[in-house]
Each structure stands twice: as C-alpha cells, then as structure tokens.
Amino acid sequence: MRIDRRYFLSYLGGTTLGLFALDGLGNIEAVATPVAGGTLNARNVPKFVAPLAVLPVMPPSSPNAYSIAMRQISQQILPQPFAATEVWAYGSTADDRTFHSPAWTIEARRGVAAEVTWINELKDADGHYLPHLLPVDPTLHWANPPGPRDMRSTFTTTPGPYKGPVPIVTHVHGMENVEDWSDGYPEAWYLTAASNLSPDHAREGTWYDFFKTKSGGRGWASGQATCRYPNSQRPSTLWFHDHALGITRLNLYAGPAGFYIIRSEAASDHPTLAGGNNTATLPDGQYEIALVIQDRSFNADGSLFYPDSRRLFDRYAGPYIPKGDVSPIWVPEFYGNCMLVNGRAWPYHSVEPRRYRLRILNGCNSRFLILKFSDPSVDIWQIGTEGGYLRAPARMKQLLLAPAERADVIVDFAKVRPGQNITLRNIGPDGPYQTDKVGRPADPRTTGRVMQFRVDRRPDGSDQTSDPARLVLPHIVHLDGGVERPLALLETMTMSPAMQELPGDMTLGTIDLAAGLPGGIRARRWHEPASENPSPNEIEVWAIYNFTGDAHPMHVHAVFFQIVDRQRFDPKTGLPVGGKRAPRPEENGWKDTVIAYPGEVTRIRLKFTAQGQFAWHCHIAEHEDNEMMRPYRIGPLQPGQPA
C-alpha cells in the first residue's frame, strides 16, 4: 500500500485522456486536453438558451407524510433540438408531474417530525424491472442482489456489466438525531417489486429486515421502506440521494437527488440586526432559489455517458479480476464535461437588480467547484453552511464547494447595470482537487461556465431585505473537550503484470501513533466491524490524517460537527509540521462534510446522540463505492443486529 501518489492518469469523461503529473513541488497540475464527452462534443451545446428550472415544493400525501418513488423518466436536459435524456427521478406517487431530476424540494418545520415512504419503482409498464442506465461493475464490494448479498463475488472469468434489478436506499444527507433505521444505511437496500425477479435474487440488503423490525414495520413492504425524520435541528439545507452499497456513484449520476429544507417559525432561529433586536429580513419567495450543480457527460443521442471500461480511465487493458486485482469497469474518479443546474445544461435565470438568497449544492460525483461571478460588482455573502447559519456572515469573492457541501448565500445584483448578463463561473480544476492554488481552472468553454444571470427584470418595488453586513446570526454553542481519535485516509496502489503502478481502491483506517508509522496504520474495509464506537452524548475529536494525493470531502452520518483546525504532518512520523490553521470564515459553523487536504490532519469535534449503526465516508462517490466508507456505531451492539 502506498500513501502518496507518484502520478495520476485520469479519464476525463470520454474519448480523450487527460494527464495529471506532479510538478516540482509535488503538486498535481493539468497538462493535457480539456474534458471530453461521450459521443457528444460539449463545446457544440448552446449555452444559456434554456431557462433555469425552479424547483417547486414536494406535495405531501398527508400532513407531514410523503409517498415518494424513484422512477425512470425522459427529461429535456440538453437544450432542444437535442433529444431528451432517460434519467431516474424522485416524485410523489400522487402526482406524475412531480417526477423530475433533481427532485422537487421537501419542506419541513423544525420540531415537527416527518415520515417518508421511499418506493423503488424502477420497472416498466409491464411490471418488469429496469436494468441500470449505466454500466455496473459486479467485481466491487457492493449490494450484489445475485449473491452473496452485500459481498464481493468471485469469478472464474472477467465479468461484463451487471444487468439485473437495481438496489436503492435513500439517505437524507444532513439529518441530525435520526434513528439508524431511517438513515439510509448502505446495506438496507431493496429491489423494486417487479413481476420478473429471479428466485435467486436477494430482494433486500442484509440490514433491511433488522431495521424493518426495529421501526415497527409500518410502511415497510416489498420494494419500499418508511423512514421517520425528527427535524429537530436548526433551520438548515439538507439533501436526499441514493446510498446503496457499492453503487451510489451510478445511482446518483443517473439523477435521483433533491433538497430537504428545514425551516423554523421561532424568532430565536433567525438573524437579527446589529445595534438592536429587530428581526432581519432575508430574501424569500421568488427571491430564494435552490441550485443543484452537477457535471454530466452525454452521447449524441442525448443519453447519459459514464465509462464502461477501466481502459478509458488510465489505458489499462488488463488483466482484470480474476487474473489480476483490478476491477474492469470501476474508475477512481469521474468528471463530466457538461454543467447542469437543476437538471438543465447551462441554463439562464432572469433577476432584478436586488438581493437574492441562493442555496447551492455541489451534486457532482467527484468534481470540486470554485464558483465566481464574472462581474466583481456582484456582492456575495455566505450566511450558512450544511448545519444552518454561520457564527457570522462571511463576505466572499468565490465559493469553494466539495461534493455534497452546501452554501447558503446572499447575492446582491443591485450594482449591476440593467440589461447586463452575469456568468456564474467555475474556476475549479477538471480533475482531482488539492488546493485552490494547484492546477489549471476548468475549461472556460464548457465546465468553466455554470449558468447565466440576466439582470433584465424591472424591480418589483424597493428591496426591503437586510444588509448582510449588519446580520447578527443565531448563537452557536461552542463544543469543547473530547478524546482525540486518529484516523487515516489511504489509497491502495496496485502493480500490473507489466509493472505499471495503478490507482486501486481507497480506504479509511485507524492509526496508533504510539506504534509509529507506517506500522501503526491499519487500513480497514467496509465489511470489518466498526472501529469507531462512541457512546451517546460523548464528544470526540476525529483527527483525519490524509495520506493520499487528493483532497477528500469527508461526511459523517447522523451528526453535525465543528471544524477545530488543520495542520501539516510528517507522513513518516505523523508528527505535526508548522502551526495550526483555524477553519475558514465560511466553515465557522455546524458542518456535516469537511474537506481533508492531502498531507494534512483535519480535526473535527463531534457530539454523538442517537444510538445505532451509521456510516462515515468520502463523498467522492467513486471513492465511497470502493471501500472509502466505514460503519461506525453509537452505543453498544444492538440485540439481533446483523454480524
């Protein structure tokens, strides 16, 4: 196992290979062509010709209860005359019009619990299951309905893509204090209730029956599960997406995701104004817009493109499993060449010269976004992150968002000349991310542009919203104390028969600093028992040592945390090098996802609450699907839980 990359040869979404090499400082820099697509050249797709799809509110089936299915639909993602794209989407079973990728938004009230019955309806009009839209690598440690369930299969010859029914389980990302049976545990998946399922297929994952019993069973039936969400946390911006073991990258890429916003009617949950106790007024209604930003690649017929061969990633042509230890289809990372916002490629949105509130989600599989407006006169203030409001507003020139991170921002177009068009740009790299200062920015003709804001609407009265500089945000309790738990981010390098070193799986691990390095590092995989086992109401500091060449967005289920600091370390000894860096102003609040930079230890402080079995993992979806995910348990083993 290597703990440092010598090079990274990355497939960038199509027929073109992009090389990432180390410069003289040991940093990864782009030296090759821009991102390509499948058979569709993204540069030929017209930009800013389709209006932004503003996501409506998901209708409940009864007060505080929802019946939401995942279905395959045809959606116009590329601008016409390009063909519509087959995608997967969430929607209300009571209204076919609600099915959209990304989904309509679930709106909840703080302190009022909600129930959602999540239904797998990936089947056709005849009731037969639909295979995956994308190539599934059956050699991974994945849900594996043909068996052995939730395990790696063994093969006598290299297999092709899996063509069977698709497992799903929905995770509401950022839900605090949720019980484990409602959290979307990766091994609690279930197949659709299709009429042509083979008797040899497992219908559910290893943990499904245990959680069904624990929940009381109401709403749990073939092809579905009912989850209960406490909504006890501060007003915050959550999102929901699939989390089935070893197939999350593909299910997420196929389209099913959506916002889940918790609001509050309590005055104490909202900002006031400096110099008094007057409640602040923030943009709302048509002036509050939720934006899901995703990168995708397409074929000329409008279909989604995703690699169907490891060869397309790094030119490696085998031998694959079982003659070697390289999976034939899985790719370590993926970068699409088309930028989607709310399910449309490069849309535009008409705005007034005034303040807007934007809730932004990085919904990409692997891509880090660095967002910046083309006109510096546009003021940006970040007021919130994943866990709600920050300690104080942060004035920003640009926004860095790793996959799964959210930003709650006030954007002011008041200084923009009427009739002007403003481009929201992405200056993040078209490849692995290390820091803001490394690598070339995204292709300015494609992935360097996200959407356009047209300041062409006449003001609807004067802007009565509060100046962000005067906002006093709700108090955040500062966590103190806690035993420090050292953890490791690792990458396994594998040697091909031709002595070519290849990126293998990504893993999490534990560190015994007293035993020294590297002997004190132990890589741990998903199937091993939980090594992180805090008690309820216990506070811990997780010290995440990144021994890889990439930054990783690390997500811990069921809790929020506060970033303590970051610090360089000596990879030979684990000892700190230099001083500690405090969290950036836009990170100074409650978080559920944190960027762990290469060569650094990132410390986060967590307070654990609900007992049960949960997960923590990297949110680069390709990484979490190949071992960069671990179970963790709060409290003792539960009677009868799966081994």
Side-chain angles (χ1 to χ4, degrees), residues 48 50-52 286-287 348-354 356 413-414 416-422 452-460:
F48 316 135
L52 176 75
Q286 65 176 313
Y287 304 113
Y348 71 86
H349 188 63
S350 294
V351 295
E352 299 172 21
R354 54 157 293 155
Y356 282 76
F413 297 103
V416 177
R417 185 177 68 253
Q420 188 173 350
N421 297 333
I422 307 297
Q452 184 183 81
F453 289 90
R454 299 179 178 177
V455 188
D456 60 3
R457 287 170 52 188
R458 299 182 63 181
D460 185 12

Side-chain angles (χ1 to χ4, degrees), residues 253-333:
Y253 191 88
F259 278 108
Y260 187 120
I261 295 177
I262 297 179
R263 301 189 185 275
S264 174
E265 298 173 356
S268 59
D269 284 335
H270 296 284
T272 55
L273 293 175
N277 294 321
N278 296 326
T279 300
T281 302
L282 300 182
D284 60 6
Q286 65 176 313
Y287 304 113
E288 179 184 339
I289 307 169
L291 303 176
V292 182
I293 302 175
Q294 301 163 309
D295 61 338
R296 299 289 186 266
S297 289
F298 297 87
N299 293 308
D301 63 1
S303 62
L304 284 172
F305 173 84
Y306 191 89
D308 62 358
S309 169
R310 172 64 185 246
R311 180 182 300 189
L312 297 179
F313 176 80
D314 54 11
R315 301 192 184 107
Y316 180 65
Y320 299 118
I321 291 173
K323 294 183 179 180
D325 58 359
V326 177
S327 293
I329 299 174
W330 175 79
V331 292
E333 278 133 19

Side-chain angles (χ1 to χ4, degrees), residues 373-389:
F373 284 96
S374 59
D375 188 336
S377 71
V378 178
D379 286 336
I380 308 171
W381 289 83
Q382 184 164 341
I383 61 171
T385 185
E386 296 95 71
Y389 291 114

